[in-house]
Amino acid sequence: MSMDDEATDKRAASPLRARSPVPHGGDLRIAIERFGGPAERWIDLSTGINPHGYPVPALDSQAWLRLPDDHDGLAELAASYYGAQRALPVAGSQPVIRLLPDLLPRCSDTHAAHRSDAVGIATLTYGEYAPAFARAGHRVLRYGVADRESLGLDASPGLSSPLGTSTSTSQRHSHSHSHSHSQNIKPADFIVYPGSALPPEILHLVVVNPNNPTAEQFDADTLLDWHAQLTARGGCLIVDEAFADVAPHASVAAHSALAGLVVLRSIGKFFGLAGARAGFTLAEPALLDALAAELGPWTLTGPTRAAVRAALQDQAWQRTTRTHLHEAGERLAALLTRRGLAPRGTPLFAWAPHCAAAALQKRLAGAAIWVRLFDDSAAGKRAAFDSEPMSNSANRLNDRDSTLPAYPSGLRFGLPGSKSAWDRLDAALADCADLIDAGAIKR
């Protein structure tokens, strides 16, 4: 048999298998197919995108006719905006999330007793990270988030919640309500909190800050402490700051030139330019050069580069928008609280844990309002990406002998974009009072 025939036989024996896509918000088509009604009647609150995005000025027609200029100063402008040493323009975070796992080390023998060989990813966070690392052969362990008070430790300011309820609503009630959640919620492999020592198995850690969808936010000192722990093992901290434009005080972008620190930023959320598919990676020069080589030229189109440049330069719009979004985020948290939910929020979205989240989503959809559901079935899909069972290490829960479950089911609410949308959301939630009262997580 020739080598060509052998290769053909191998391909026939191992057909390509399509991977299931990770669900995301923003696909109103799904709601319309399930619940019907004309598209113009629907209010889409399933994303955390600014509903009043940057008004892109008219573009020079040559932007459509010339190849993009990768040396037009956009990278330098972005680095200045983020306070970073260097920035790499990318077509959103997605291609970087797919590439990073192959560029990062797989294991470290720094600790003789415990080989650091796993990546830590939150039990409930942006869904693309776990499958990307698992596909690249990394062992994935999931972590839960708690504050120090809920663990019986001294209080710390390192975990903040700028809007809505206090930082540990879901964790604080995990023990008292575990009988009603434990069958549907995947437990965490370990717990993190400000000042915590990371388990020795963890070589890399992914932190979405503020987290999407649960809105926890760690301060820079906490993140830099974890970075120091990881780099001592030869590992890396990846911080996804897609929503950080509204909370720049917690950003670690200014430290992104440090080895072992990668920061991902987005133009789609605060600036509302989701359709541009633009973002920036901030990291040490060697890693940025490796990413650039893998991505190749022209990652952003000429029109996108022009639109993003205008947005990054418009400081007056940025200041006004930050004020508006903080006010809108507080209004959303207040509305949800008034209607009986227990939200935790950012200026761009709110997370509302609730035992009847699936029924609430369906009831709201009946009023043509689409919100993002996170439930036990979603947790099951995430669990399928875990490459190993839970670790049996004595240190797997930071030397604590009890497992906190992950998050209860919940809904993520984006910001309504008009007075009528605010009024319709308020009225629809009022019509959900029976469901909210029946399954509320007591405060």
Side-chain angles (χ1 to χ4, degrees):
M1 179 184 294
S2 69
M3 292 181 64
D4 288 343
D5 290 338
E6 184 177 353
T8 301
D9 286 347
K10 286 183 178 179
R11 285 195 297 270
S14 303
L16 290 175
R17 183 174 58 185
R19 298 185 178 99
S20 299
V22 176
H24 296 285
D27 194 346
L28 191 59
R29 174 184 53 82
I30 295 174
I32 295 172
E33 289 177 353
R34 284 180 59 188
F35 300 100
E40 58 270 17
R41 181 171 176 264
W42 280 86
I43 299 172
D44 187 3
L45 305 181
S46 67
T47 74
I49 296 169
N50 180 0
H52 302 289
Y54 182 70
V56 177
L59 303 179
D60 183 348
S61 62
Q62 289 300 305
W64 297 98
L65 305 176
R66 294 192 299 258
L67 283 172
D69 181 0
D70 287 343
H71 303 285
D72 61 358
L74 179 61
E76 291 76 14
L77 175 61
S80 176
Y81 172 80
Y82 295 121
Q85 181 175 310
R86 278 188 59 183
L88 176 68
V90 292
S93 300
Q94 206 58 45
V96 179
I97 293 172
R98 297 287 179 107
L99 285 173
L100 267 179
D102 285 322
L103 297 177
L104 297 180
R106 299 300 175 92
C107 66
S108 171
D109 294 314
T110 301
H111 297 168
H114 301 282
R115 274 178 89 222
S116 302
D117 66 350
V119 56
I121 299 172
T123 57
L124 184 51
T125 193
Y126 184 59
E128 294 285 351
Y129 283 102
F133 275 93
R135 280 196 298 266
H138 292 264
R139 186 162 67 107
V140 176
L141 295 179
R142 309 308 287 259
Y143 66 81
V145 178
D147 65 7
R148 295 172 62 88
E149 181 183 3
S150 68
L151 295 175
L153 304 173
D154 293 336
S156 167
L159 179 63
S160 63
S161 179
L163 301 169
T165 61
S166 57
T167 58
S168 58
T169 299
S170 57
Q171 288 86 358
R172 185 180 303 121
H173 299 283
S174 294
H175 297 293
S176 61
H177 292 271
S178 60
H179 63 279
S180 62
H181 297 315
S182 58
Q183 293 184 349
N184 296 328
I185 302 300
K186 179 183 181 294
D189 296 316
F190 64 102
I191 303 299
V192 300
Y193 54 90
S196 64
L198 298 173
E201 303 99 315
I202 300 301
L203 180 62
H204 308 301
L205 187 72
V206 176
V207 180
V208 180
N209 202 51
N211 189 41
N212 172 25
T214 58
E216 295 103 346
Q217 181 170 288
F218 292 101
D219 66 17
D221 288 343
T222 295
L223 296 174
L224 293 174
D225 174 61
W226 289 338
H227 168 258
Q229 294 180 44
L230 294 167
T231 54
R233 308 169 189 182
C236 182
L237 174 67
I238 299 119
V239 185
D240 185 329
E241 296 186 345
F243 294 93
D245 295 77
V246 290
H249 61 280
S251 173
V252 292
H255 304 276
S256 57
L258 295 172
L261 179 60
V262 179
V263 179
L264 306 181
R265 299 296 295 248
S266 172
I267 296 297
K269 309 302 189 298
F270 169 72
F271 290 100
L273 299 180
R277 301 308 307 139
F280 296 90
T281 301
L282 319 175
E284 62 176 311
L287 182 56
L288 290 185
D289 290 343
L291 279 172
E294 290 292 330
L295 291 168
W298 311 316
T299 57
L300 298 181
T301 67
T304 291
R305 298 181 76 92
V308 171
R309 183 183 301 107
L312 292 177
Q313 290 176 324
D314 196 337
Q315 296 182 16
W317 183 89
Q318 294 161 20
R319 287 191 298 269
T320 300
T321 300
R322 284 193 183 92
T323 299
H324 168 77
L325 289 176
H326 276 277
E327 293 172 349
E330 291 174 355
R331 179 180 179 183
L332 179 60
L335 188 159
L336 297 176
T337 301
R338 186 172 70 251
R339 292 304 179 190
L341 295 170
R344 179 193 293 117
T346 78
L348 283 163
F349 64 87
W351 161 253
H354 199 278
C355 302
L360 281 171
Q361 185 202 41
K362 185 176 180 180
R363 182 81 62 85
L364 291 170
I369 297 175
W370 190 231
V371 297
R372 179 74 189 279
L373 170 68
F374 296 84
D375 64 0
D376 54 319
S377 62
K381 291 176 182 177
R382 289 192 302 276
F385 293 126
D386 289 351
S387 55
E388 297 264 345
M390 290 198 310
S391 167
N392 290 320
S393 166
N395 296 301
R396 61 184 285 270
L397 290 177
N398 304 346
D399 297 322
R400 307 189 71 83
D401 59 3
S402 63
T403 302
L404 290 176
Y407 294 92
S409 298
L411 298 173
R412 185 186 63 200
F413 291 79
L415 296 176
S418 66
K419 182 182 183 304
S420 63
W422 281 102
D423 291 343
R424 281 180 56 188
L425 176 61
D426 192 12
L429 287 171
D431 290 339
C432 294
D434 58 326
L435 291 175
I436 293 173
D437 292 343
I441 296 176
K442 295 179 173 59
R443 284 180 272 180

